[in-house]
Amino acid sequence: MGTPQRPVTLLESFSPYGSRKVTVEYDGLVTAAYLHDDTAAISATWIANHRPAPQATDQARLDAGRAPLMPAARTKHPGGRPLLRADTLQALWFEEGDGVAILESGRPLAVIAGWSDMDRGMPGYSSDVIGQTPFGWSLDDAMEGLAPRLERSRAYWRWRQSANGWSQFQQALLGHLQPRLGPGGHYWDASAGKQPLTGVTERPTSARRPYTVLSTVGMSAQRMPVVEQVLDDPSGYARIELAVATTLPSAQVARVFLWLATYPWHAVTWFGPGHSVRWYHEPATFPLGGGVPGAEAVLLLDSPGSLDGPQPPDLSGFAFGGDPVRWLWIIPISERDRQLAKERGSSALVSRLATQHRSWIVGP
């Protein structure tokens, strides 16, 4: 019991979006949890000692890249805990997919939140920790804020796995768009059946509107990651749908959503007003390249009316999970445009596009 051994994995779980993995490992002395991205562990938390605690941190274990034994003054179990049983452990992922709770027999044992980051000295939370240490913070002290979060996560995944949850959401959003954009045309799946489920609805031209609108359906069914780490009040920005107005062939334009509709969850990022995103492939393959020669990026605007063209339709008024849903309109831009937005802000780019009489409607 007193000798380190090759770590044994007690739990391994991938986020529903495939962007993160959590492992719980035991090495004969210590159990710890690690949150990984595609390449490395990005955060961790100590969970338990399995032998009597030392008075101070064992630097040799740290130097060897092992989780430390928690010092006696910082653990509720200075005499050590029995080995955790793998069959009692379960991962509960946050709705955003960027954080996770480790449950033992249904009770929170540890939490690695989206804001936990080893490089910034912010480990995860553990139920056995007293106070704050470099290897874990007290879960008890954080539960006032985390308990509602975990309950929302439980409720969210129950809804996701329910027989009718997705179809009810889909119908509610399509019903919201009907009086604002008219009857639907084609509908495409944009997620290949994987989480997050998203589709694209086409609203063809009409006597009142000489352009087609394509909108995502499903991005707002889950909050985006990261938003709460950069905004004091994320509620008005956490849920979005994307839209594009166009006179180009719908099937061609709809391909832009295969790239963008699931991007925030797979890349663990967020889209907000004024954000710009570069096309990941050869410029010649950019789906909106026919609208703006040389375009290989997109600008996302919630109020595109400052550009040329008729008054944009007002799609506001839909909410989900207690949050309003914000529609962001896709405007194709060049890489030079994107660099300008990066250096001087999106308002500088919008001003330049306006002086060029650029329309918010994508067309030849």
Side-chain angles (χ1 to χ4, degrees):
M1 186 79 176
T3 309
Q5 64 187 43
R6 186 179 181 86
V8 174
T9 299
L10 302 177
L11 175 71
E12 179 180 78
S13 174
F14 289 86
S15 86
Y17 313 122
S19 53
R20 292 282 185 265
K21 177 180 77 170
V22 68
T23 58
V24 177
E25 297 178 3
Y26 161 70
D27 72 355
L29 300 181
V30 172
T31 296
Y34 302 89
L35 186 66
H36 306 257
D37 63 10
D38 288 343
T39 57
I42 53 176
S43 195
T45 187
W46 170 93
I47 289 180
N49 292 347
H50 302 293
R51 56 163 282 181
Q55 293 306 304
T57 302
D58 182 349
Q59 191 61 41
R61 277 183 63 87
L62 279 177
D63 293 344
R66 292 184 177 273
L69 283 153
M70 187 64 72
R74 293 299 193 176
T75 171
K76 293 180 186 176
H77 303 280
R81 273 186 58 157
L83 176 62
L84 300 172
R85 285 176 37 204
D87 61 357
T88 66
L89 301 181
Q90 175 190 3
L92 172 63
W93 288 93
F94 289 8
E95 174 182 343
E96 299 88 341
D98 59 349
V100 63
I102 307 300
L103 309 180
E104 182 184 26
S105 301
R107 293 186 300 275
L109 177 69
V111 175
I112 305 180
W115 56 85
S116 300
D117 185 337
M118 290 190 297
D119 291 341
R120 294 189 293 154
M122 297 174 69
Y125 305 86
S126 171
S127 62
D128 282 5
V129 171
I130 297 171
Q132 292 188 358
T133 80
F135 322 114
W137 290 359
S138 166
L139 182 58
D140 289 352
D141 293 349
M143 277 304 280
E144 183 179 350
L146 286 174
R149 181 64 168 271
L150 301 186
E151 194 44 54
R152 282 200 308 271
S153 299
R154 280 192 181 95
Y156 178 77
W157 294 113
R158 275 199 304 270
W159 171 78
R160 260 298 182 199
Q161 290 153 12
S162 67
N164 300 317
W166 167 244
S167 61
Q168 287 172 351
F169 171 89
Q170 216 176 13
Q171 292 310 310
L173 185 49
L174 293 171
H176 171 79
L177 294 176
Q178 177 92 8
R180 292 160 178 83
L181 295 175
H186 287 93
Y187 184 91
W188 296 273
D189 172 31
S191 54
K194 297 178 182 176
Q195 295 290 356
L197 296 178
T198 50
V200 180
T201 179
E202 174 196 39
R203 304 290 154 150
T205 58
S206 66
R208 289 186 357 210
R209 195 184 66 240
Y211 56 88
T212 294
V213 174
L214 303 176
S215 170
T216 57
V217 176
M219 291 182 73
S220 63
Q222 52 282 306
R223 284 179 146 224
M224 290 181 291
V226 182
V227 186
E228 64 188 351
Q229 297 168 44
V230 294
L231 297 176
D232 290 336
D233 181 9
S235 61
Y237 295 86
R239 298 187 191 274
I240 65 158
E241 298 288 348
L242 297 178
V244 62
T246 187
T247 55
L248 295 171
S250 294
Q252 170 193 327
V253 173
R255 293 195 345 255
V256 80
F257 296 110
L258 298 177
W259 165 48
L260 290 174
T262 59
Y263 189 108
W265 297 273
H266 293 161
V268 191
T269 188
W270 69 295
F271 290 159
H275 286 193
S276 55
V277 193
R278 185 180 184 182
W279 176 241
Y280 71 98
H281 202 33
E282 294 294 324
T285 65
F286 182 54
L288 307 182
V292 178
E296 52 180 306
V298 296
L299 175 67
L300 305 176
L301 297 177
D302 58 349
S303 302
S306 51
L307 300 180
D308 276 16
Q311 183 68 20
D314 180 6
L315 303 184
S316 64
F318 187 72
F320 185 72
D323 300 319
V325 174
R326 184 184 295 264
W327 263 263
L328 299 178
W329 294 85
I330 296 172
I331 313 295
I333 57 172
S334 68
E335 177 58 16
R336 184 171 161 233
D337 291 335
R338 193 180 74 86
Q339 289 300 328
L340 172 67
K342 199 172 171 183
E343 292 161 15
R344 295 176 46 200
S346 60
S347 57
L349 174 57
V350 171
S351 296
R352 185 163 91 177
L353 297 178
T355 61
Q356 295 171 351
H357 299 290
R358 177 76 66 82
S359 175
W360 63 276
I361 299 169
V362 181

